[in-house]
Amino acid sequence: EVQLLDSGGGLVQPGGSLRLSCAASGFTFSSYAMSWVRQAPGKGLEWVSTITDSGTSTYYADSVKGRFTISRDNSKNTLYLLMNSLRAEDTAVYYCARGRYCYGPWGQGTLVTVSS
Amino acid sequence: DIQMTQSPSSLSASVGDRVTITCQASQDISNYLNWYQQKPGKAPKVLIYDASNLETGVPSRFSGSGSGTDFTFTISSLQPEDIATYYCQQYDNLPPVTFGQGTKLEIK
């Protein structure tokens, strides 16, 4: 069974950092691009970042460019999102998802709350 | 960036009804459009990819159509388990991928 398990969320102060992880199983992780999509409380979906299968190319939404870094470890079947200089508006559930243009499946999501 | 305008934002329908949601792109995106279903408290799930292709395992009452700038998502006969929020998503130009604002579907 294809499975993605998000982790690493929590409460962080404005300006702080957090690293999210997404553990993949049930498929050949190194063959797929991976993405992060977030959803602020009560709001819609917002694409955050995508990394190609080999990790050689990365893409970011303007709202996180320069603050967030997507990476992957294909030997560990794990996707990461390093989030620096966090702002209140980054508060959201963060989902990892398999795919570059079409997302499926998705992790269960991990909540990031940025507040003092 | 390509903007996706989805309508309606909310919809109430009866079991057995035909339900239609539309999504309009701010520029031509060919057929680079997907539809997702998100049930309360759950992660989204892809239902339709490339505008009209049904994802494996998704019931045939779900369908999609359109190309260019205008797209339609249809549930041919609404079931109680279809209560969810539905999103369109374009990928003509990465970055960024953009989603519609969502349509919350309720049972009347």
Side-chain angles (χ1 to χ4, degrees):
Chain A
E1 179 192 4
V2 175
Q3 202 164 14
L4 298 172
L5 188 61
D6 302 318
S7 62
L11 175 63
V12 60
Q13 292 189 337
S17 298
L18 211 54
R19 189 180 81 160
L20 306 183
S21 299
C22 171
S25 60
F27 65 101
T28 304
F29 181 71
S30 59
S31 295
Y32 289 86
M34 297 293 295
S35 300
W36 289 98
V37 177
R38 68 184 180 183
Q39 186 170 36
K43 302 297 184 182
L45 301 170
E46 180 189 15
W47 169 77
V48 173
S49 184
T50 294
I51 187 168
T52 54
D53 52 1
S54 61
T56 53
S57 295
T58 58
Y59 308 89
Y60 297 95
D62 286 346
S63 57
V64 306
K65 198 175 298 181
R67 300 187 298 123
F68 289 13
T69 303
I70 191 172
S71 62
R72 64 192 297 160
D73 186 337
N74 285 345
S75 69
K76 295 183 178 179
N77 291 344
T78 303
L79 174 73
Y80 302 101
L81 186 68
L82 176 61
M83 305 184 294
N84 294 324
S85 303
L86 282 161
R87 306 166 180 168
E89 55 265 35
D90 295 318
T91 294
V93 173
Y94 285 73
Y95 297 99
C96 70
R98 187 176 72 175
R100 178 170 179 168
Y101 302 116
C102 181
Y103 307 129
W106 298 53
Q108 84 286 2
T110 186
L111 176 62
V112 173
T113 303
V114 184
S115 174
S116 53
Chain B
D1 296 356
I2 298 173
Q3 306 302 316
M4 304 302 295
T5 303
Q6 190 174 335
S7 63
S9 56
S10 65
L11 176 57
S12 182
S14 299
V15 172
D17 281 356
R18 183 180 183 88
V19 170
T20 298
I21 298 169
T22 63
C23 199
Q24 185 171 59
S26 58
Q27 64 189 68
D28 189 334
I29 59 169
S30 185
N31 67 331
Y32 300 140
L33 184 107
N34 306 317
W35 290 95
Y36 298 85
Q37 175 193 64
Q38 185 178 31
K39 296 186 176 181
K42 300 295 186 182
K45 170 188 171 184
V46 62
L47 300 181
I48 304 288
Y49 64 94
D50 295 346
S52 60
N53 294 296
L54 193 66
E55 180 74 0
T56 301
V58 173
S60 59
R61 64 179 180 274
F62 296 101
S63 65
S65 64
S67 66
T69 60
D70 295 304
F71 301 86
T72 300
F73 172 81
T74 300
I75 306 173
S76 60
S77 179
L78 184 66
Q79 300 302 304
E81 61 266 30
D82 299 336
I83 298 312
T85 300
Y86 294 85
Y87 295 92
C88 62
Q89 171 240 321
Q90 70 80 23
Y91 61 93
D92 179 58
N93 190 13
L94 168 71
V97 159
T98 49
F99 290 87
Q101 62 268 49
T103 296
K104 186 174 183 179
L105 178 56
E106 298 175 331
I107 294 285
K108 194 180 294 183

